[in-house]
Every structure is written in structure tokens, then in C-alpha cells.
């Protein structure tokens, strides 16, 4: 089920941020293998140009990662779509945890598709901007926390889905523990000198892992900034 959120008319954008430009991005994503219509619809609904600096807004609907300050990036639309598809696969998650709020774009996409999004960020400055964007776009089902995401969000656990948008050497135990049985975690993990996008499904008696392929992410760091 798509949870509809009303957007302001000036969020629809003009010229390089217009609906036509957004539709072209969706066509590109389709060509590159994204097929979940719910995800593609969310991508047309959320104005990505509101999640980058104004100077970069003309490039917001290109299928590329862009800088968001503090040496961080807003992920490439294709990877946002791919990870969202993975989280939705095989069910309708209600509560999803994201680690690495960054610009807030991934959380905004999730907010259209699940009941509640919990997102954790370790850089205060980024969180401040993300919070403002959620408020301006009236995305009222996103809950933010300033913390080291390695620890997840224990008081809100268990989650139906957990998404980590920064790469780690291994999957943090704390996150696996906060996954509901039947729930899915998706995150990039460093394996043999390469970043791989991994999904882990929690089963009654263990975990089932799948490798979705090579990716590029900024690192998951420890502590607060
Ligand atoms: N999902 C973001 C992409 C952000 S890039 C978006 O849609 O824009 C990765 C983010 O993870 C950065 O903002 C970085 O500060 C954050 N991050 C890295 N390590 C973290 C940690 N331990 N806890 C929380 N956030 C972390």
C-alpha cells in the first residue's frame, strides 16, 4: 500500500527539476532493472532536488551520487531504488530502520512505502538539514535519531526491515538482533577488497544471506560528529 503524502506545488519543480525530468529518471531506472512499481512511483513523488544543495538541483535527476557536504553523498537513485526493492521483497514491512540518514532522501522514499521509518545519523549538521526537509515536505512518519547507527534503535526494535547506507567490514550483531523473524536487512559489506550489497533474512533458526552484487558506498564510521 502506498501511503500518500501531499506535496506543495513548488516541490513539483520546473525545468531541470520538472515532472518530465523525473519521469526520464524513472525510465532510466526501469532500463537498469528496477521493476517494482511501488518504488518507481515513490521516486516520481519525492522531489530529489530538495535533498541537495540548490547549486546542484539541476543535476538532481541524473542517475548519480552527489555531494551533500561533510564528505558525504546522497546515494545514486539506482541504488536507492534497488535497496528499497530489496526491503519490500516478499512482504509489506511496517517498521523500517535506516542507518545513515545523510540528506534524508532514502528515508523520504521509504516513508511513501512503509508505515514508519526510523533513521539514525552520526553527523549532527546533516541531520539538522534532513529534519527540516522532512518537516517542509510533511513527511510525518519519519523519526530521526542522532546516534551511532552501529547500535541500531533498541527501544523501537524489532524492525521488519533494516537498511544501512554506508559500508562496513561486517554486519553489526546489534542490527541483526533488532530484526524481526522474517525481516530483512540490506547493507553494503566489504568482502575480499570489494564492496558487495548483501541481504540477510532472519529465519526462526538462523539467517539466510544473499549477495546482490558490487556497489560503492562511503564508510560506516564509529562515534558521533
Ligand atoms: N541514505 C543517505 C545516504 C547517506 S551517505 C541519503 O539518502 O542521502 C551515508 C551516511 O551514513 C552519511 O550521512 C554518514 O554520516 C552516515 N553514517 C556513517 N556512519 C554512521 C553511523 N555509524 N551511524 C549513523 N550514520 C552513519
Amino acid at each position: 500500500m502506498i501511503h500518500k503524502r501531499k506535496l506543495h506545488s513548488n516541490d513539483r519543480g520546473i525545468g531541470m527539476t520538472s515532472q518530465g525530468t523525473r519521469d526520464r529518471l524513472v525510465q532510466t531506472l526501469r532500463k537498469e532493472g528496477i521493476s517494482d512499481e511501488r518504488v518507481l512511483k515513490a521516486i516520481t513523488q519525492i522531489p530529489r532536488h530538495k535533498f541537495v544543495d540548490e547549486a546542484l538541483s539541476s543535476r538532481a535527476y541524473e542517475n548519480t551520487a552527489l555531494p551533500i557536504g561533510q564528505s558525504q553523498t546522497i546515494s545514486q537513485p539506482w541504488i536507492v531504488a534497488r535497496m528499497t526493492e530489496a526491503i519490500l521483497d516478499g512482504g509489506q514491512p511496517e517498521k523500517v530502520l535506516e542507518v545513515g540518514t545523510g540528506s534524508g532522501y532514502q528515508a523520504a522514499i521509504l516513508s511513501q512505502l512503509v508505515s514508519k521509518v526510523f533513521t539514525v545519523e552520526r553527523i549532527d549538521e546533516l541531520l539538522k538539514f534532513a529534519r527540516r526537509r522532512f518537516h517542509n515536505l510533511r513527511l510525518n512518519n519519519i523519526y530521526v535519531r542522532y546516534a551511532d547507527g552501529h547500535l541500531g534503535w533498541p527501544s523501537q526494535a524489532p524492525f521488519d526491515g533494516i537498511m544501512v547506507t554506508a559500508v562496513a567490514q561486517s554486519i553489526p550483531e546489534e542490527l541483526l538482533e533488532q530484526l524481526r523473524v522474517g525481516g530483512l536487512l540490506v547493507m553494503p559489506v566489504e568482502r575480499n577488497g570489494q564492496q558487495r550489497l548483501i541481504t540477510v533474512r532472519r529465519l526462526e533458526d538462523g539467517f539466510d544471506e544473499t549477495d546482490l552484487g558490487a556497489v560503492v558506498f562511503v564508510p560506516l564510521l564509529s562515534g558521533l560528529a
Side-chain angles (χ1 to χ4, degrees):
M1 180 178 58
I2 301 274
H3 294 263
K4 287 206 177 107
R5 309 276 154 198
K6 274 205 176 135
L7 299 176
H8 275 307
S9 57
N10 67 348
D11 296 326
R12 291 199 198 113
I14 48 160
M16 290 306 285
T17 61
S18 70
Q19 198 59 57
T21 310
R22 287 186 214 179
D23 292 344
R24 277 195 293 284
L25 170 60
V26 165
Q27 281 166 25
T28 304
L29 296 178
R30 268 187 214 284
K31 263 187 234 143
E32 295 191 6
I34 305 299
S35 58
D36 191 319
E37 293 299 330
R38 297 169 293 176
V39 175
L40 294 167
K41 185 168 180 196
I43 288 186
T44 57
Q45 282 169 339
I46 296 296
R48 191 169 183 257
H49 66 281
K50 296 286 180 187
F51 291 82
V52 295
D53 194 86
E54 236 179 296
L56 286 172
S57 59
S58 67
R59 300 193 54 201
Y61 299 95
E62 292 175 15
N63 189 20
T64 51
L66 293 168
I68 55 172
Q70 313 285 326
S71 309
Q72 304 304 319
T73 54
I74 179 172
S75 305
Q76 182 195 16
W78 181 83
I79 197 75
V80 170
R82 189 70 197 88
M83 289 176 91
T84 310
E85 269 192 346
I87 279 285
L88 296 181
D89 189 33
Q92 174 52 67
E94 293 288 316
K95 283 174 82 174
V96 171
L97 171 71
E98 179 199 25
V99 173
T101 315
S103 67
Y105 179 68
Q106 173 72 73
I109 294 292
L110 285 168
S111 77
Q112 305 296 292
L113 300 163
V114 308
S115 306
K116 286 183 179 178
V117 182
F118 297 87
T119 182
V120 182
E121 172 59 57
R122 66 178 286 278
I123 301 179
D124 200 24
E125 188 69 12
L126 292 178
L127 200 55
K128 211 171 66 191
F129 284 111
R131 226 188 231 118
R132 195 174 304 158
R133 290 172 182 133
F134 300 149
H135 177 79
N136 290 342
L137 294 170
R138 295 181 171 67
L139 303 175
N140 302 321
N141 60 338
I142 304 177
Y143 304 88
V144 304
R145 184 170 187 227
Y146 174 51
D148 182 341
H150 279 100
L151 306 173
W153 194 326
S155 64
Q156 292 295 340
F159 297 99
D160 304 312
I162 299 180
M163 183 187 287
V164 182
T165 63
V167 64
Q169 299 298 321
S170 61
I171 300 170
E173 279 297 320
E174 289 85 350
L175 296 183
L176 291 174
E177 281 163 16
Q178 291 174 33
L179 202 57
R180 185 189 299 288
V181 171
L184 186 102
L185 173 144
V186 57
M187 76 176 283
V189 182
E190 194 97 35
R191 299 251 162 105
N192 305 319
Q194 215 192 24
Q195 295 187 17
R196 310 289 304 182
L197 188 63
I198 304 293
T199 67
V200 184
R201 175 87 60 193
R202 182 166 193 171
L203 310 173
E204 292 280 1
D205 56 355
F207 296 94
D208 183 27
E209 211 181 275
T210 308
D211 184 329
L212 298 181
V215 286
V216 181
F217 277 86
V218 296
L220 189 69
L221 301 173
S222 292
L224 297 176

